[in-house]
Amino acid sequence: MATGIISIVFFLLLLGLLTAGAVLCLHLWARKLGIQSRILLAALLGPGSVLVFPLLIALLDGSAPLADLGLGLGVGGAFLCVVIGWPVSAILTRKLEKSMLPDPGIFE
């Protein structure tokens, strides 16, 4: 029981850190995009990067039908993006933008 709870907490922490990394990468390399676009992309790329490897393994293995696999990963991925990715990316993007503003006290 404890192992299962620790595993779930670790997985959620991993998704949060992946989303934070996506926020930072988009801040560095996609500055021309608006804030809302970067929030949406980070919310999709962070948790979505975890789903790439099971999808590739299942596609190469050929054991599961593609319709069931796509539906399952799509619903699971959408849930993870909304529950984990969206709040983390929104909070971190706004904090990062606020921290990059120049301090008006410098010019006094």
Side-chain angles (χ1 to χ4, degrees):
M1 180 72 177
T3 306
I5 292 172
I6 290 172
S7 299
I8 290 171
V9 169
F10 178 73
F11 183 69
L12 294 177
L13 179 68
L14 178 71
L15 290 178
L17 291 174
L18 283 170
T19 305
V23 166
L24 185 59
C25 287
L26 288 172
H27 180 75
L28 293 175
W29 291 309
R31 292 284 298 166
K32 294 187 194 268
L33 293 175
I35 292 175
Q36 294 298 327
S37 299
R38 283 188 279 156
I39 289 173
L40 178 64
L41 278 174
L44 293 175
L45 290 176
S49 64
V50 172
L51 300 176
V52 170
F53 297 111
L55 179 64
L56 286 176
I57 290 171
L59 285 176
L60 294 175
D61 185 23
S63 61
L66 291 179
D68 294 341
L69 179 68
L71 180 65
L73 285 178
V75 169
F79 177 75
L80 289 176
C81 290
V82 169
V83 171
I84 301 290
W86 188 265
V88 171
S89 64
I91 291 169
L92 291 180
T93 301
R94 297 202 191 280
K95 292 247 183 211
L96 191 59
E97 285 296 318
K98 188 184 288 185
S99 71
M100 296 301 291
L101 292 175
D103 186 22
I106 297 172
F107 302 110
E108 292 177 356

